Amino acid sequence: MQNTSVPAGMTRRHALTVTGGALAAATLAQAAPAFAAGSQDADAIVVGHGLAGLVAASELAAAGRKVLLLDQEPESNLGGQAFWSFGGLFLVDSDEQRLMGIKDSRELAWQDWLGTAGFDRGVGDPSGQDHWAYKWAEAYVDFASGEKRSWLAGLDVKWFPIVGWAERGGGLADGHGNSVPRFHVTWGTGPAVVEPFEKKVRAAQADGRITFTFRHRVDDLVTTDGRVTGVRGAVLEPSNAQRGKPSSRKVVGEFELRAPVTIVTSGGIGADHDLVRRNWPARLGTPPKFMVTGVPAHVDGRMLAITEKAGGRIVNPDRMWHYTEGLRNYDPIWPGHGIRILPGPSSLWFDATGKRFDSPDIPGYDTLHTLKSITDTGYDYSWFVTTHKILAKEFALSGSEQNPDLTEKNIWKLLSRIWQTPEPIEKFTKQGVDFIVATTLSELVRGMNKLTGDNLIKLEDLTRQIEARDREIANPYTKDVQVMGIRNALAYPGDAISRTASAHRILDSGAGPLVAVRLNILTRKTLGGLQTDLSGRVLNASGRPVPGLYAAGEVAGFGGGGVHGYRSLEGTFLGGCLFSGRQAGRAAAAATAT
């Protein structure tokens, strides 16, 4: 074994011991910190360079701390999963809402959060799984209705002026769902959310307060006398993999680094389908045999078990958030890459056998209820049957790369949505394997059955259900809950302008051609995770903080081990990374003050 020389200012005891000759030496020269002295290598270690990690590291650096920012991925993946996001943020009583005539309040948002989360696991018991989750939820709703917008606006984050209405619920006022539109799309999508914090971190790097340590995979948290005092693991060979592409896992060395505090911000489990199935709750039915993947391969959940081994408590592991409208990406970036349709309210939704779903299984209303309805059929897919008029007006795709107009901040491209189908939608319609386009319903049914090969869809059944729905369009009032929802959406100016087609018959030839879309289950978010207090300190099985250990972002259930409870109001995942990363970063900075 060949040992490299110890970098200046770093103790030999804690230096990287790297094998692999010149290759490993090059890795060390690029990544090893040069500022540490004495028995520690930094004031803080942050494991994971996604959004939560960037926010936490920037807060530590702003307080004058020296930080090691570790990740197993190359620099190309800085910003993590947030970079790929649509950039939706949950804001309450915002300027944008008021501009659209939306009357929102902290009280209404809290009512919606409680009705959606359904906290029921020991809220009042300090040892309960939902005890800290509930406290985080209160704090987050205060944040979203308070300083969140002004804080981000001060970092030059801007939003598209039309507020989206996600997760509408479809039940009672105090039940699941957003009573009003709250989904604020960031101008520039996910990359624009990441950008201000990446700038902060890179500026701190230039000042010597932050050192990036790429291609360092943490395999253990180092514990000394019951306190987490650092990390150890494997140095992976350098990688030129592009953002989102899988990188090599070839080990070329090992490392051990020390700091008084460690913040874990490593994300969830969405790329590991076996882990998803292992934690799948019975209440959501049988886990799908086939799923598409909504996150890059590095979202592997490894740090959950590693942190648990060091004393951290994992709570609510059976709570998760997976989408029901997944498409197989015709041009995948990561393995099994799936894209979600963000639907408007008008497409008809059928199960694999051609039976129309009942309320609240309407596009955009109740994600997890619909997921259970799909798994109850015994099949792992369902269908949208719609018209080109609906598709052109109502379909949007998740992901920064699927929205070049918003991501590139191109107003001309954005305005072109008024008179033409967005190019990404058009490409999926033509190249995506899940799309069937036909001029007649009989032709559409033949295409649907050919695609799946099981001949489950019967023309007469589909015709009967569609014609029954179409008859409900004749009057401005109806007993069809979905048609009620369309008219409700059209009463909101934002939906009428950009997200809802005028009410029309599906079999109206003037609205055609007809379109059927096979919808797959798409893995996405971990709603449970490491239990943390409001400072982001990881708690042990006895409810006491593990000394020196913090967590933020998805690995912590976005705060407290499950701030969302059972379900999300949407726009709360990026916001959860921002809020929990800030909380943990500030608390860790205070804990290391001299």
Side-chain angles (χ1 to χ4, degrees):
M1 180 172 69
Q2 179 180 2
N3 290 339
T4 61
S5 59
V6 178
M10 197 175 197
T11 63
R12 180 171 297 276
R13 178 184 176 193
H14 300 135
L16 304 181
T17 302
V18 183
T19 60
L23 182 63
T27 303
L28 181 60
Q30 293 171 4
F35 54 70
S39 61
Q40 65 186 48
D41 301 311
D43 296 316
I45 293 171
V46 177
V47 181
H49 64 203
L51 180 60
L54 292 178
V55 174
S58 68
E59 291 290 340
L60 282 158
R65 308 296 177 264
K66 292 191 173 181
V67 184
L68 279 172
L69 184 54
L70 276 68
D71 203 283
Q72 65 183 355
E73 294 305 306
E75 186 173 4
S76 59
N77 280 290
L78 197 67
Q81 192 178 337
F83 179 92
W84 298 105
S85 74
F86 193 39
L89 290 170
F90 177 92
L91 298 173
V92 178
D93 193 25
S94 68
D95 293 352
E96 290 75 18
Q97 286 177 301
R98 290 191 289 272
L99 180 66
M100 298 304 299
I102 300 165
K103 294 178 174 62
D104 200 6
S105 67
R106 192 267 180 199
E107 292 73 25
L108 184 59
W110 183 234
Q111 170 183 299
D112 288 345
W113 196 289
L114 286 179
T116 297
F119 295 119
D120 61 2
R121 296 176 175 175
V123 170
D125 179 359
S127 65
Q129 294 188 77
D130 279 340
H131 180 74
W132 286 103
Y134 184 96
K135 290 179 180 294
W136 271 93
E138 282 188 298
Y140 183 72
V141 173
D142 287 344
F143 176 61
S145 58
E147 65 172 313
K148 181 179 179 181
R149 188 188 183 284
S150 60
W151 176 57
L152 291 172
L155 297 173
D156 204 30
V157 178
K158 297 179 175 62
W159 296 274
F160 183 58
I162 297 178
V163 183
W165 197 353
E167 282 296 297
R168 305 180 190 211
L172 300 177
D174 59 354
H176 168 59
N178 284 294
S179 297
V180 297
R182 296 190 177 106
F183 192 79
H184 296 65
V185 178
T186 303
W187 186 234
T189 66
V193 179
V194 172
E195 182 181 10
F197 302 99
E198 180 178 348
K199 284 182 177 178
K200 284 175 174 282
V201 167
R202 290 197 183 278
Q205 178 194 26
D207 291 342
R209 286 168 291 149
I210 290 180
T211 295
F212 291 116
T213 314
F214 304 113
R215 303 298 286 155
H216 280 54
R217 185 188 70 202
V218 174
D219 296 326
D220 285 295
L221 297 176
V222 178
T223 302
T224 306
D225 297 328
R227 180 182 186 89
V228 172
T229 54
V231 297
R232 67 167 67 95
V235 180
L236 306 178
E237 69 176 349
S239 172
N240 294 319
Q242 297 178 0
R243 183 185 291 274
K245 295 285 187 181
S247 62
S248 165
R249 290 294 179 263
K250 182 179 179 181
V251 174
V252 296
E254 55 190 28
F255 70 91
E256 181 172 327
L257 298 165
R258 300 267 177 155
V261 297
T262 297
I263 306 179
V264 178
T265 63
S266 54
I269 66 174
D272 188 333
H273 290 194
D274 290 337
L275 200 53
V276 168
R277 292 188 183 96
R278 199 178 311 154
N279 289 283
W280 192 275
R283 66 179 178 277
L284 292 181
T286 303
K289 294 179 181 178
F290 175 80
M291 297 180 283
V292 291
T293 308
V295 295
H298 61 254
V299 185
D300 54 19
R302 290 182 70 256
M303 284 303 300
L304 281 162
I306 291 168
T307 310
E308 185 178 36
K309 180 182 174 184
R313 182 191 185 196
I314 295 174
V315 295
N316 303 310
D318 61 326
R319 292 180 182 170
M320 51 187 67
W321 188 258
H322 306 303
Y323 289 112
T324 50
E325 312 99 334
L327 305 173
R328 303 171 205 231
N329 195 342
Y330 66 88
D331 186 20
I333 297 172
W334 51 80
H337 189 176
I339 296 293
R340 184 202 174 198
I341 297 174
L342 285 70
S346 303
S347 297
L348 296 189
W349 207 335
F350 296 90
D351 69 18
T353 68
K355 180 182 177 182
R356 187 182 174 195
F357 286 119
D358 199 354
S359 176
D361 302 328
I362 297 169
Y365 276 65
D366 193 331
T367 294
L368 291 195
H369 190 284
T370 307
L371 177 58
K372 173 64 161 56
S373 296
I374 292 170
T375 58
D376 281 350
T377 67
Y379 297 91
D380 50 22
Y381 68 93
S382 59
W383 292 99
F384 276 169
V385 173
T386 191
T387 66
H388 187 270
K389 180 177 179 178
I390 293 170
L391 177 145
K393 183 72 175 284
E394 297 191 6
F395 277 28
L397 299 175
S398 64
S400 54
E401 82 284 8
Q402 298 297 332
N403 295 275
D405 49 357
L406 290 165
T407 302
E408 297 167 10
K409 304 180 182 179
N410 188 314
I411 294 176
W412 175 252
K413 279 186 180 181
L414 183 64
L415 290 175
S416 72
R417 293 190 184 210
I418 297 172
W419 63 82
Q420 66 182 16
T421 307
E423 184 181 3
I425 297 289
E426 196 68 36
K427 285 184 176 180
F428 261 95
T429 303
K430 293 177 179 178
Q431 301 179 49
V433 297
D434 295 306
F435 282 78
I436 307 293
V437 180
T439 55
T440 67
L441 192 56
S442 59
E443 181 186 354
L444 193 76
V445 169
R446 285 196 297 271
M448 294 164 74
N449 285 330
K450 181 179 179 181
L451 179 61
T452 61
D454 50 22
N455 294 314
L456 293 174
I457 308 297
K458 306 302 179 186
L459 175 61
E460 58 272 22
D461 291 340
L462 209 63
T463 301
R464 174 184 54 78
Q465 294 172 91
I466 294 174
E467 287 181 344
R469 177 269 187 198
D470 281 357
R471 291 187 188 101
E472 301 292 313
I473 298 297
N475 295 293
Y477 41 85
T478 177
K479 72 175 183 181
D480 189 291
V481 173
Q482 184 172 6
V483 178
M484 290 181 196
I486 294 169
R487 301 201 188 283
N488 191 38
L490 290 169
Y492 165 51
D495 274 353
I497 292 168
S498 65
R499 290 288 285 146
T500 306
S502 59
H504 63 274
R505 294 181 294 109
I506 298 296
L507 297 181
D508 179 357
S509 60
L514 294 167
V515 181
V517 188
R518 178 179 58 186
L519 305 172
N520 309 281
I521 307 302
L522 176 101
T523 65
R524 185 77 92 193
K525 294 297 182 186
T526 310
L527 297 188
L530 297 167
Q531 191 171 43
T532 58
D533 65 11
L534 287 176
S535 295
R537 296 183 298 178
V538 176
L539 305 178
N540 63 20
S542 300
R544 292 189 295 271
V546 178
L549 184 59
Y550 297 74
E554 191 174 351
V555 74
F558 302 90
V563 67
H564 300 93
Y566 286 94
R567 294 179 291 192
S568 166
L569 286 171
E570 289 285 20
T572 55
F573 300 134
L574 289 178
C577 289
L578 293 169
F579 185 55
S580 63
R582 193 178 78 157
Q583 290 288 96
R586 290 181 177 181
T592 51
T594 55

